[in-house]
Amino acid sequence: MTPLLQVKGIEKLYGARIGCADVTFDLYPGEVMGIVGESGSGKSTLLNCLAGHLVPDAGQVIFDTRANGPVDTVTMSEPERRMLSRTDWAFVHQHVRDGLRMSVSAGGNIGERLMAVGDRRYGDIRDKAIDWLGRVEIEAARVDDRPTAFSGGMQQRLQIARNLVTGPRLVFMDEPTGGLDVSVQARLLDLLRGLVREMGLSAIIVTHDLAVVRLLADRLMVMKDGHVVEAGLTDQVLDDPQHAYTQLLVSSVLQV
Amino acid sequence: MIELINVSKSFTLHNQGGAVIPVMEGASLKVEPGECVALTGASGAGKSTLMRVIYGNYLAASGQVLVGGLDVAKAEPRQILTLRRKTLGYVSQFLRVVPRVPTLDVVAEPLLAVGCDRTEALEKSAELLKRLNIPERLWTLSPTTFSGGEQQRVNIACGFAHDYPAMLLDEPTASLDVQNRETVLSLIEEAKGRGAAIVGIFHDLDARERVCDREVNVADFTPELAA
């Protein structure tokens, strides 16, 4: 099986400081990988390098495209990369304001991504938008409301619907459950798990919540000071951490 | 089906002065299809550790851990994930689920993961929950709100939903009443009957005698303490 994403020696420097360095891994179709680490450890920098929001100083991000097979997205032309980020890729931002258009209706937010890939019939777009609102458990009656009228949890679910409507194969998520209250978080986790299973999605999830990765991620990467200090099966890394930093991280979690 | 060859395991506690604690040495074990092997030994002797080494959530320091031909000690994460989905089931002592997911769906999950049709998965799930005496009015609720014994039975239902060729059972009859204990024991016997290789921990002596073919004392694998 060809990996969906092959990451080779990614490095990003901010002046003399290391954002992230020497990151290498493969992600296969249907796999969910978590990236954990304290703030400032380089998780978000890495995610942004992978998703093409930042240009890495070294390394390759090879994606298995539908048309041409594995292609390095770092050296790909800007229009090609933009097309990829509208079709096969999706990015769920921690702050919904970065991922939604707050002045456009919920239906418009979902429809916009469909139009970007060439959908033109208003009726179809509206039907698909309503269908996706239902999948993320937002009432169809809210389709014409703006996200500003939604609660935080609903906004996050709308962002997910907007991202998944074009049937991407790889989803990048930056703290998708951050800032949500626990009951909404649980519902979102269940939703994400179902979508991953039904659509065969692969996902890379950056979070600092170990409970979230345990439930959602198959594999886990632990970062510290820009480097990956440990990687493996999620329950192996959490139950039998090998690196000093991971041991500290796991033992610092408060028991509820 | 399950074979351990000269497996050892130690823990290194980096944050406690780098102390290295060897917990297992020279562990070897072989379980054939249709056979149930009980792990015995005092509390803390390493029964659960051995089980976790087989499941792959503890990393073996050396040796081979073969399950269905795959060496868990050296396999890639995705190989272990496939193994767990299709071949290796595990009934732990704790139920770990996404909150707010209905019990019926929780039990159907392992079946959906192997590509089973949704209606079929839910039927099988309902059948198991009925056998394990979980009242039907609770099926639409999340098991996180259940009593200890009920959670244990939901956990067992999850473990027996898919017909795994290899199974690990960590005290499956703990905290169960007589009738439910009987159900669990017959589930184990049925699994053996269809050729599953089982490694189990049973503190319940009668249960052990009834379903297990052999016993392996993990104290034999405990490293000699350096005087």
Side-chain angles (χ1 to χ4, degrees):
Chain A
M1 191 160 52
T2 321
L4 186 65
L5 192 73
Q6 300 171 57
V7 176
K8 295 182 180 171
I10 285 294
E11 182 178 282
K12 175 72 190 172
L13 302 174
Y14 296 111
R17 279 187 307 114
I18 293 174
C20 62
D22 204 18
V23 179
T24 298
F25 67 89
D26 289 345
L27 187 76
Y28 286 83
E31 268 184 345
V32 178
M33 191 172 78
I35 303 177
V36 297
E38 60 201 353
S39 54
S41 59
K43 324 185 280 290
S44 295
T45 298
L46 174 63
L47 195 73
N48 283 312
C49 284
L50 299 180
H53 298 170
L54 284 174
V55 182
D57 294 310
Q60 294 174 298
V61 179
I62 301 168
F63 181 73
D64 186 17
T65 58
R66 284 185 226 225
N68 303 317
V71 178
D72 184 4
T73 62
V74 175
T75 53
M76 178 182 262
S77 73
E78 183 62 35
E80 278 179 301
R81 191 163 49 235
R82 206 176 298 154
M83 195 59 200
L84 202 57
S85 68
R86 282 200 292 246
T87 53
D88 274 352
W89 287 6
F91 197 104
V92 176
H93 293 265
Q94 176 179 9
H95 302 291
V96 283
R97 280 169 191 278
D98 299 331
L100 284 180
R101 300 237 273 157
M102 302 307 278
S103 55
V104 173
S105 71
N109 263 289
I110 300 178
E112 188 181 45
R113 202 164 140 114
L114 284 170
M115 290 201 290
V117 294
D119 246 332
R120 284 294 174 267
R121 283 200 47 222
Y122 177 79
D124 287 353
I125 293 174
R126 193 175 168 86
D127 288 347
K128 277 191 199 165
I130 290 175
D131 172 46
W132 267 94
L133 285 179
R135 291 206 219 182
V136 297
E137 300 169 20
I138 297 176
E139 284 171 59
R142 305 294 299 269
V143 65
D144 295 318
D145 290 354
R146 289 183 186 177
T148 40
F150 287 3
S151 71
M154 282 168 79
Q155 289 177 350
Q156 191 57 286
R157 280 179 277 142
L158 178 62
Q159 192 192 182
I160 289 172
R162 170 183 161 100
N163 271 286
L164 297 186
V165 67
T166 49
R169 292 190 293 154
L170 176 60
V171 186
F172 300 98
M173 296 194 208
D174 193 358
E175 303 273 6
T177 59
L180 299 179
D181 76 60
V182 273
S183 65
V184 179
Q185 197 175 320
R187 187 137 142 224
L188 198 65
L189 284 178
D190 180 39
L191 174 74
L192 287 174
R193 253 163 71 120
L195 291 171
V196 164
R197 192 179 53 225
E198 283 156 26
M199 301 175 66
L201 285 179
S202 301
I204 299 178
I205 300 177
V206 162
T207 179
H208 60 255
D209 189 334
L210 295 182
V212 167
V213 289
R214 181 171 303 257
L215 291 173
L216 214 52
D218 306 312
R219 289 165 55 192
L220 191 58
M221 238 164 54
V222 183
M223 291 188 74
K224 182 173 169 42
D225 302 331
H227 294 269
V228 175
V229 294
E230 188 165 354
L233 268 180
T234 302
D235 57 5
Q236 183 258 302
V237 174
L238 295 180
D239 293 342
D240 187 15
Q242 306 293 309
H243 189 275
Y245 175 67
T246 320
Q247 291 185 354
L248 186 68
L249 200 68
V250 171
S251 63
S252 306
V253 175
L254 301 176
Q255 300 280 328
V256 181
Chain B
M1 193 65 215
I2 303 174
E3 186 173 8
L4 272 67
I5 305 167
N6 209 9
V7 175
S8 69
K9 169 75 199 149
S10 61
F11 291 106
T12 309
L13 306 175
H14 293 286
N15 298 308
Q16 289 169 43
V20 178
I21 305 171
V23 292
M24 202 162 65
E25 229 172 59
S28 297
L29 174 76
K30 191 169 182 179
V31 190
E32 301 290 345
E35 197 181 23
C36 179
V37 172
L39 301 179
T40 61
S43 179
K47 301 184 292 294
S48 295
T49 299
L50 183 63
M51 213 167 238
R52 287 180 190 148
V53 165
I54 301 175
Y55 196 59
N57 54 340
Y58 277 7
L59 272 183
S62 67
Q64 283 179 287
V65 181
L66 300 166
V67 182
L70 181 74
D71 185 355
V72 174
K74 291 181 188 67
E76 292 287 315
R78 68 190 175 89
Q79 293 174 307
I80 300 181
L81 290 167
T82 312
L83 183 81
R84 288 181 183 179
R85 198 159 51 232
K86 295 181 178 159
T87 315
L88 182 63
Y90 179 34
V91 176
S92 73
Q93 294 185 68
F94 310 100
L95 183 69
R96 197 168 252 146
V97 293
V98 178
R100 302 179 60 182
V101 177
T103 302
L104 198 60
D105 291 335
V106 167
V107 178
E109 169 102 23
L111 287 165
L112 296 174
V114 289
C116 185
D117 173 67
R118 190 170 167 81
T119 339
E120 213 173 294
L122 290 175
E123 271 170 26
K124 179 109 192 250
S125 160
E127 188 191 311
L128 269 166
L129 289 170
K130 198 173 282 170
R131 268 189 83 176
L132 288 157
N133 290 317
I134 305 287
E136 196 164 343
R137 62 191 157 80
L138 298 182
W139 294 0
T140 52
L141 306 178
S142 164
T144 44
T145 55
F146 289 8
S147 77
E150 282 166 343
Q151 291 199 1
Q152 170 72 352
R153 278 177 278 150
V154 171
N155 214 6
I156 288 166
C158 287
F160 283 90
H162 171 57
D163 290 338
Y164 298 101
M167 298 185 78
L168 306 171
L169 309 175
D170 195 346
E171 295 216 47
T173 55
S175 66
L176 295 185
D177 59 35
V178 183
Q179 194 194 352
N180 288 313
R181 178 176 163 274
E182 183 57 36
T183 310
V184 173
L185 291 178
S186 49
L187 279 171
I188 298 174
E189 284 167 342
E190 285 163 29
K192 283 174 67 183
R194 61 169 173 79
I198 300 174
V199 175
I201 299 172
F202 298 90
H203 283 302
D204 175 351
L205 283 178
D206 295 337
R208 194 195 296 169
E209 265 168 33
R210 181 165 148 195
V211 296
C212 297
D213 305 291
R214 283 188 291 132
E215 290 183 8
V216 169
N217 191 342
V218 295
D220 299 344
F221 309 141
T222 309
E224 295 292 319
L225 292 175

